[in-house]
Amino acid sequence: MSEKAIVIDAPGGPEQLKLVDMAVGEPGPGEIRIRHHACGLNYIDVYHRNGTYPLALPARLGMEGAGIVEAVGEGVSHLRVGDRAAYTSQPPGAYATARVMPAKCVLKLPDAIDFETAAAMMLKGLTVQYLLRRTLPQGGLQAGDFVLFHAAAGGVGLIACQWARALGLQLIATAGSDEKCALALANGASHAINYRRDTAFAAKVREITGGRGVKVVYDSVGADTWEGSLDSLAPFGLLASFGAASGPVPPIQIGTLAAKGSVYVTRPTIFTHIATREATQAMGDDLFAMVSSGQVRIRIDRRYALADAAEAHRDLEARQIVGSAVLLP
C-alpha cells in the first residue's frame, strides 16, 4: 500500500520538506494503522527539521494527527477498526496520508470533537494539561493564584489561557504585540504584557502581583525570557521551562536559585508524561472533557494542504500563525 508522506533527507530549512510516496504496511503487535483526516503543526516539527532535535535520516515529521483506525495489531484492545481516533506520539510521522504507529498514545476520539480540532489540540492540549495539572509549585495551585505564561497567543498559550480561567487562576500572559495581548485577554488571561514594548516584563509582573511575584512561570521561549522569568517568581516559586523558541537556556548557577528566593526549576516534556497508555488516557480524558464542555475552544488559524508543508513551516517560523494550524492530506 503506497501513501504520501513528508520526508527530509538532511536537516535544514523548509525547502528540505519533500512529499514522497511511502509504503504503509500492516500493523504489528501493539500497533495500529490510521488514515489521517488532519495532521497537527507544532514548533517541535521545526526543531526536528532543522536538526535542533536530531532524527535518524531520512526522517518523517509530525507529532499529532486525527483520523480513522484502519487496522489493529495483536494486543491492542482499546481501539477497533473504524474508530475515530487522535494522538500525539513518538516517533514522528504524522505528516502523511496514513501511517502505522504505536497504539499506546492513540485515543478514541469523542464524537463531539471533529478531526481538525483534534489534530490541532492533542500535543498542545496535553501539554497544557501536564503543565497546569501536573507541573505545580509547592502546595499546588488554587483559584486566585497568579501564574505567568509566555507566548500566550500561540496554540499552547491560547489553550492555557482558557484552561487557567476555568481553574480560577489569574494568568498573566506575555505576547509580542498589542493584538496578540488582546487575543490572550479575550481567551481568559487576567493580564497581558507586550514584551516587545515592556522589555523588563518582570517589573510589570511585580506591579500586577503587588510586589510578590507569581507561584509558577510556564516558559516555552527560552533564552530571551529566562532571566525575567526567574525574576518574576515569588519565594519558593517554580519555573517550568518547556521549550526554547528563542534559543537554548543559558547554563545556570545553582546559587542563583537561592538568591532568587529558594526557587525551583524544572524541564518537563510531554513524552515523559504520556509514557504509559494509562497516563495518556487519563490526560486525554481531561482534555476531551474541557473541549467538549466548551471551557476550552481550539482556534485553528490556518489550514494547509499536506503538499504545502514547507509554506506552513515558513509561516510558523515567521510567527505568522496565531493559535493552531493543521495540514490536510
Side-chain angles (χ1 to χ4, degrees):
M1 181 186 299
S2 181
E3 301 288 348
K4 296 291 187 181
I6 296 290
V7 174
I8 61 169
D9 293 318
E15 70 280 357
Q16 294 294 335
L17 299 170
K18 309 296 183 186
L19 184 68
V20 302
D21 292 321
M22 180 73 66
V24 179
E26 296 300 315
E31 294 181 332
I32 62 152
R33 186 174 71 237
I34 185 169
R35 178 159 301 280
H36 291 132
H37 285 234
C39 315
L41 183 71
N42 296 280
Y43 213 88
I44 192 173
D45 306 342
V46 172
Y47 294 151
H48 285 149
R49 189 207 73 223
N50 66 23
T52 300
Y53 297 165
L55 298 174
L57 299 170
R60 297 174 60 176
L61 300 185
M63 304 300 293
E64 65 181 345
I68 299 291
V69 176
E70 285 191 332
V72 175
E74 181 183 352
V76 177
S77 59
H78 68 290
L79 295 167
R80 296 180 179 180
V81 172
D83 280 349
R84 303 171 71 254
Y87 68 87
T88 184
S89 178
Q90 291 180 319
Y95 290 9
T97 52
R99 70 181 294 198
V100 169
M101 63 178 296
K104 72 174 184 178
C105 292
V106 183
L107 300 179
K108 188 173 180 180
L109 185 64
D111 291 339
I113 301 175
D114 64 77
F115 290 121
E116 290 187 15
T117 297
M121 79 180 196
M122 293 303 291
L123 190 148
K124 302 172 191 69
L126 290 176
T127 295
V128 174
Q129 200 281 342
Y130 87 71
L131 290 173
L132 293 182
R133 297 288 207 185
R134 295 165 175 251
T135 310
L136 302 174
Q138 274 194 11
L141 289 172
Q142 287 79 41
D145 284 342
F146 284 99
V147 304
L148 177 62
F149 208 102
H150 291 301
V156 174
L158 290 181
I159 295 172
C161 289
Q162 297 173 75
W163 206 317
R165 176 175 57 189
L167 295 175
L169 301 174
Q170 298 192 67
L171 185 144
I172 303 171
T174 73
S177 71
D178 288 343
E179 293 76 16
K180 288 182 177 180
C181 285
L183 183 60
L185 291 168
N187 278 270
S190 299
H191 305 271
I193 301 170
N194 181 341
Y195 59 74
R196 296 195 188 281
R197 185 178 61 241
D198 296 313
T199 53
F201 64 83
K204 197 75 173 176
V205 169
R206 294 284 173 183
E207 178 184 328
I208 292 169
T209 59
R212 181 165 178 79
V214 297
K215 292 186 73 172
V216 59
V217 178
Y218 297 111
D219 189 339
S220 63
V221 176
D224 288 353
T225 52
W226 178 254
E227 290 297 331
S229 291
L230 283 173
D231 288 338
S232 298
L233 289 171
F236 309 111
L238 173 67
L239 171 47
S241 175
F242 68 102
S246 67
V249 169
I252 183 171
Q253 296 294 325
I254 197 71
T256 301
L257 305 183
K260 299 294 184 184
S262 300
V263 298
Y264 297 78
V265 173
T266 185
R267 179 52 173 97
T269 73
I270 187 173
F271 298 109
T272 309
H273 284 276
I274 62 170
T276 67
R277 207 200 77 73
E278 293 76 15
T280 307
Q281 188 69 58
M283 293 170 64
D285 288 345
D286 195 12
L287 173 61
F288 293 156
M290 294 298 291
V291 174
S292 296
S293 70
Q295 293 181 91
V296 169
R297 298 182 183 275
I298 307 300
R299 171 180 170 140
I300 301 176
D301 188 52
R302 300 195 183 189
R303 295 166 173 83
Y304 302 86
L306 181 63
D308 295 330
E311 178 188 352
H313 272 230
R314 291 186 188 98
D315 290 345
L316 188 62
E317 290 185 278
R319 302 187 184 280
Q320 295 299 308
I321 298 172
V322 177
S324 300
V326 292
L327 301 175
L328 302 178

